Structures are given as structure tokens and as C-alpha cells.
Amino acid sequence: KRAQAAYEEAQEAGKELNLLDAVKLGLTLNYSVFLYEIARQKSKACALAKETYANAVEELKNNDKENPQDSTLILQLLRDNFTFWTSAENQQEQNDQEQNDQEGEEGAEE
């Protein structure tokens, strides 16, 4: 709980930073991994990664003067995590459905 409180406090403090700031993006990346892997708040982790990625990409489109490489790399990691997490959840749902279907068929045979 202390780790989550610290991340939330850091997220709040990071609101003052530019959307493309590498520190802010790195914090969000780390926090989303914490939420997904440690706190098991998978939907919150996915939503945070997706929202941060979308907002930062929009900022990149509107920011003609610079394209910070560090920020771009962190954005790729956010996108990759979100894609992996959502595909893993979809795979788990499919596996659960297949298991339920098999159990239903076995019950019907008895």
C-alpha cells in the first residue's frame, strides 16, 4: 500500500510536467507495471498506459519543434505493455471459455 501511495503522490506531482517529459513518462510506465504485476489492478494499469500513450502521441503531433528520443522509446514501451496485457487478458478469457465449454459438454454426457 505504501508503494501505491508513493506512486500516486508522484503521479500527482508529475502533473506539472510536460506530457512528453521522459521522467513523467517513465514514472507512468513504472506505475502501470506496478499496477499490473504487483497490485493486480490490471484494468487500471491498461487504462493508465492507454490514456498516457494516447495523450502523449497527440502532444507529439502538435509539437513540431522537437521529438525527444527518450520519450519516444518510453512511449513504445507503454504501447507494447498495453498490447501485451490486453492480448494476454483476451487469451485468458478464451481459455476460460473453452474450459467452461468442455465442462458443459462433459456434464451433458453424464
Side-chain angles (χ1 to χ4, degrees):
K1 289 189 174 193
R2 289 181 18 203
Q4 185 156 355
Y7 271 121
E8 290 171 357
E9 186 177 328
Q11 285 288 102
E12 188 63 33
K15 287 183 177 180
E16 298 175 16
L17 299 174
N18 182 295
L19 286 174
L20 298 177
D21 185 283
V23 172
K24 179 177 183 161
L25 291 173
L27 170 65
T28 302
L29 173 64
N30 289 337
Y31 183 37
S32 66
V33 170
F34 168 82
L35 289 171
Y36 192 89
E37 298 289 338
I38 307 299
R40 299 288 185 213
Q41 296 178 12
K42 295 181 177 187
S43 61
K44 186 174 180 178
C46 289
L48 178 62
K50 182 180 180 181
E51 178 183 356
T52 300
Y53 178 80
N55 291 341
V57 167
E58 191 61 36
E59 181 71 18
L60 273 173
K61 289 179 186 176
N62 297 329
N63 189 354
D64 295 334
K65 54 187 168 190
E66 62 181 69
N67 186 355
Q69 185 176 5
D70 289 345
S71 297
T72 304
L73 293 173
I74 297 168
L75 284 172
Q76 290 172 348
L77 290 170
L78 276 167
R79 183 197 61 217
D80 291 348
N81 283 353
F82 174 73
T83 301
F84 176 74
W85 292 338
T86 55
S87 67
E89 285 182 17
N90 290 338
Q91 184 63 45
Q92 184 61 45
E93 287 175 10
Q94 270 185 330
N95 291 344
D96 291 347
Q97 184 60 45
E98 288 172 6
Q99 185 176 2
N100 289 339
D101 292 347
Q102 288 175 351
E103 290 172 0
E105 290 172 7
E106 290 170 3
E109 291 175 3
E110 294 175 5

